[in-house]
Amino acid sequence: DVKVTQSSRYLVKRTGEKVFLECVQDMDHENMFWYRQDPGLGLRLIYFSYDVKMKEKGDIPEGYSVSREKKERFSLILESASTNQTSMYLCASSLGNTRTYGYTFGSGTRLTVV
Amino acid sequence: GDSVTQMEGPVTLSEEAFLTINCTYTATGYPSLFWYVQYPGEGLQLLLKATKADDKGSNKGFEATYRKETTSFHLEKGSVQVSDSAVYFCALSEGGKLIFGQGTELSVKP
């Protein structure tokens, strides 16, 4: 089975800190995605990547950046954490043909910024 | 752009009741359609999918049929269990991405 591993289940950070959320997949998927999930707002796409060193902005990229130096790893960076970035963060990956296989998700990282 | 609309929750049912969660979509092309399930504190898991009109996806007693004429992909289960309590997301494919509905929370009482 494809596994998508997010490095932390729970994280507490202080306002202004630089925060790194790591995501690793083990099945050679081309595509990787970062979403945040908030009550009443569903899943919102932050950034995605279709290849190594490639990134595209999603619907809510402000305050975030990403890095994809290796195919299996996609990192989400909060440059200066703020309380409104308290959320559940979900990483997902897919083969090139997303319409056939869909996504595989990680277990999520619940981030609290205090 | 493409979009997915799900019925609002929460949906509360008694064990062994029949479940329907409505999902309709708007798309310019011919997307694939998916249902994902999220158990408390976890990520989303693929429940079932359909890649073309009239296809029926099924898994773990859940079913959904891709209806192009009504642009719908309603999720059904004949007899729910307490363990089915979760949030259910409908999604469609757009290019290399998935577009998700808002999610519908299901609570099943014994």
Side-chain angles (χ1 to χ4, degrees):
Chain A
D1 279 353
V2 177
K3 241 190 152 164
V4 177
T5 303
Q6 294 185 232
S7 52
S8 306
R9 290 298 298 271
Y10 300 93
L11 216 49
V12 179
K13 296 293 182 181
R14 295 195 179 278
T15 301
E17 274 193 78
K18 190 168 186 176
V19 180
F20 293 85
L21 302 183
E22 306 288 345
C23 176
V24 177
Q25 50 93 4
D26 66 359
M27 279 297 286
D28 208 33
H29 281 182
E30 291 88 350
N31 308 328
M32 296 189 77
F33 307 85
W34 276 106
Y35 288 84
R36 63 177 283 176
Q37 182 180 16
D38 301 287
L41 297 177
L43 275 70
R44 293 182 289 168
L45 181 62
I46 305 171
Y47 268 97
F48 59 101
S49 169
Y50 288 153
D51 202 352
V52 177
K53 296 194 187 296
M54 179 252 171
K55 59 186 178 185
E56 298 252 7
K57 292 180 180 178
D59 301 316
I60 52 163
E62 297 77 19
Y64 302 94
S65 63
V66 289
S67 171
R68 194 164 180 204
E69 295 296 318
K70 294 185 177 182
K71 191 173 186 179
E72 66 270 18
R73 186 181 295 271
F74 192 37
S75 303
L76 180 69
I77 303 156
L78 286 65
E79 298 289 345
S80 177
S82 64
T83 54
N84 64 12
Q85 292 178 310
T86 291
S87 186
M88 169 74 108
Y89 289 87
L90 294 167
C91 176
S93 71
S94 71
L95 285 169
N97 191 351
T98 300
R99 77 178 309 277
T100 300
Y101 300 105
Y103 290 170
T104 300
F105 280 89
S107 298
T109 295
R110 185 163 293 283
L111 173 67
T112 302
V113 183
V114 298
Chain B
D2 294 0
S3 65
V4 176
T5 302
Q6 292 181 231
M7 63 186 285
E8 285 198 26
V11 174
T12 302
L13 295 174
S14 297
E15 211 165 17
E16 299 184 3
F18 186 87
L19 168 70
T20 301
I21 299 178
N22 290 338
C23 171
T24 57
Y25 67 91
T26 303
T28 51
Y30 301 95
S32 293
L33 300 173
F34 302 82
W35 276 102
Y36 280 82
V37 59
Q38 184 181 33
Y39 298 104
E42 297 185 13
L44 280 69
Q45 302 173 26
L46 179 63
L47 182 58
L48 53 84
K49 65 182 181 185
T51 58
K52 60 183 189 301
D54 300 325
D55 269 3
K56 178 188 279 190
S58 61
N59 186 24
K60 299 181 182 179
F62 291 90
E63 291 183 342
T65 301
Y66 190 162
R67 303 278 187 208
K68 188 163 173 285
E69 63 276 12
T70 54
T71 62
S72 65
F73 192 55
H74 304 321
L75 183 68
E76 297 182 336
K77 187 177 186 185
S79 175
V80 294
Q81 306 299 313
V82 172
S83 57
D84 294 325
S85 299
V87 181
Y88 292 82
F89 291 90
C90 184
L92 64 78
S93 61
E94 181 191 67
K97 303 194 301 287
L98 296 185
I99 308 295
F100 290 89
Q102 297 284 27
T104 302
E105 183 180 356
L106 170 67
S107 177
V108 181
K109 306 296 184 189

